[in-house]
Amino acid sequence: MKLSTPNKSGAASLEAVARNGSLLHRIAVRIPTYLTDLRENPAWLPMFVLARTMPGRRMHWLGAKRARPADNSRDTIFAGVDRQAVVEALRTDGLFSGLMLPPAIHEEIASFAQRTPCFGNFDRRLEFMPAEHAEAEKRFGRSLLSGHFFERILDCRAALAIQRDPLLLDIAAHYLGGQAKLITTRVWWSFPTGEASDADKNLASLGKYHFDLDDWRMLKFFFYLKPVDADTGPHVYVRGSHKRRSLKHQLTLLVGHPAQEVLDVYGEQSPVTLTGEAGLGFVEDPFGFHMGTVPARTPRLMMEVGFGVSPPSRRRFHGEPVIR
């Protein structure tokens, strides 16, 4: 595992990637996502309005129930992990890195992901085999930044073993409160590609700092299923940004912001770039600013298991489109 912080030259390159359309255009393209969320769950609207503000979040955290001791937390595949140390790191930094999947688990998921067709750019019409990415781009006539498996990942027993691991729920319950429940499970590829539109980058959550606003309180576990270095599109997290927020970032409909704007608030040394071997896992409070960088040479294969405190969204559970 390697954690690194960018210097000013790195921040400038992130800013170049993060630029996109006008404010009105960025809001307009999100309206279908907003309306879909509202139709599925009317309680989404007050969360969407208030959960981006620090007073609203603090009020909701007051309703966190005390977590019950987990009787089966020792039946975990993650050896040597101290739940309390993880929770304390999350409260301080919003991030803990150091979970490790057994080789048999991450190798089985990687094998599944290599032999199973995925869907490009969240679009079920763009189905292709991961090894045929270049040919698929030619066939569909567009850049394909990501390949999601959606509900197909439930056919992989190793993925289910991670999803159901008692330690993950135990950590989530002690951080989010006793109401913590599973709300997302997804596996996806991020591909190096040529020219890609800002819309596709936004959809893939690549190249722009953003925070997640899918629930009042959330926690996400991520696992690298293939080795990730600086050229494989490592995940980046801004430490401490989960517990403080500038007024500008609270009073906006947008969750994505240019890199330099974020670094000006939280400091040039606050971002942590996570690289490491296959099987590396980390957990974060996704209200903190984060992003997946664009792979330069090698595809990235990643798994996410998310917890929240509200009923899970059917559409978002396996990563259906969420325009940021």
Side-chain angles (χ1 to χ4, degrees):
M1 173 186 68
K2 182 179 180 182
L3 307 181
S4 61
T5 55
N7 56 26
K8 291 188 177 182
S9 61
S13 64
L14 290 175
E15 164 72 329
V17 178
R19 295 181 187 275
N20 53 18
S22 69
L23 178 63
L24 290 178
H25 174 72
R26 292 168 65 192
I27 293 175
V29 297
R30 287 159 175 79
I31 290 176
T33 296
Y34 298 157
L35 293 177
T36 301
D37 286 330
L38 184 59
R39 284 194 297 267
E40 183 177 341
N41 179 16
W44 169 86
L45 184 58
M47 184 281 299
F48 179 75
V49 173
L50 298 175
R52 67 186 64 240
T53 70
M54 297 311 294
R57 296 184 68 80
R58 292 188 185 106
M59 288 293 293
H60 202 274
W61 275 93
L62 292 176
K65 295 181 179 179
R66 185 172 182 175
R68 296 179 179 178
D71 296 331
N72 61 343
S73 60
R74 294 183 180 180
D75 301 328
T76 179
I77 60 176
F78 301 101
V81 177
D82 181 355
R83 181 203 69 209
Q84 189 58 36
V86 176
V87 172
E88 289 176 0
L90 287 167
R91 288 174 178 159
T92 301
D93 295 330
L95 173 72
F96 173 87
S97 181
L99 302 171
M100 284 301 301
L101 292 173
I105 295 291
H106 67 74
E107 289 170 4
E108 181 179 337
I109 303 174
S111 176
F112 176 91
Q114 289 168 328
R115 67 176 186 269
T116 304
C118 60
F119 300 99
N121 296 356
F122 296 90
D123 191 334
R124 290 179 181 268
R125 297 169 298 180
L126 306 179
E127 185 177 9
F128 64 97
M129 292 297 296
E132 300 170 358
H133 172 256
E135 293 84 348
E137 287 193 319
K138 294 177 182 177
R139 184 167 74 251
F140 295 124
R142 60 180 298 180
S143 297
L144 299 172
L145 278 81
S146 63
H148 277 71
F149 294 97
F150 297 144
E151 69 281 349
R152 288 177 177 174
I153 197 58
L154 298 183
D155 294 329
C156 178
R157 288 182 297 178
L160 293 179
I162 300 174
Q163 179 200 65
R164 297 168 180 171
D165 191 274
L167 179 64
L168 302 192
L169 178 58
D170 195 33
I171 292 171
H174 281 82
Y175 181 71
L176 300 174
Q179 304 99 318
K181 55 178 66 69
L182 180 73
I183 63 170
T184 64
T185 300
R186 62 189 184 116
V187 171
W188 73 101
W189 291 96
S190 296
F191 296 103
T193 186
E195 292 297 322
S197 69
D198 289 329
D200 283 341
K201 288 180 181 178
N202 289 343
L203 201 59
S205 298
L206 293 175
K208 181 173 66 176
Y209 282 120
H210 64 276
F211 58 92
D212 293 354
L213 202 62
D214 303 334
D215 201 351
W216 288 95
R217 310 194 298 274
M218 291 183 65
L219 199 62
K220 288 188 176 182
F221 294 83
F222 294 101
F223 301 95
Y224 290 153
L225 304 173
K226 292 284 188 179
V228 172
D229 59 19
D231 292 325
T232 317
H235 189 82
V236 183
Y237 188 85
V238 180
R239 289 176 298 186
S241 60
H242 68 303
K243 60 182 181 181
R244 65 187 182 95
R245 190 59 47 93
S246 70
L247 191 60
K248 177 181 179 179
H249 293 159
Q250 296 180 61
L251 304 179
T252 174
L253 288 177
L254 301 175
V255 297
H257 298 277
Q260 194 58 52
E261 179 181 303
V262 172
L263 299 183
D264 285 345
V265 175
Y266 304 103
E268 297 282 351
Q269 298 304 312
S270 59
V272 176
T273 300
L274 295 118
T275 58
E277 60 189 300
L280 172 66
F282 50 94
V283 54
E284 68 181 42
D285 183 330
F287 186 65
F289 279 103
H290 59 279
M291 69 173 168
T293 54
V294 181
R297 291 188 299 107
T298 308
R300 184 188 70 192
L301 181 61
M302 198 165 184
M303 180 173 184
E304 170 195 309
V305 179
F307 293 86
V309 295
S310 301
S313 163
R314 293 187 302 274
R315 182 172 59 86
R316 293 175 185 249
F317 193 89
H318 294 298
E320 293 280 7
V322 180
I323 300 179
R324 301 187 186 282

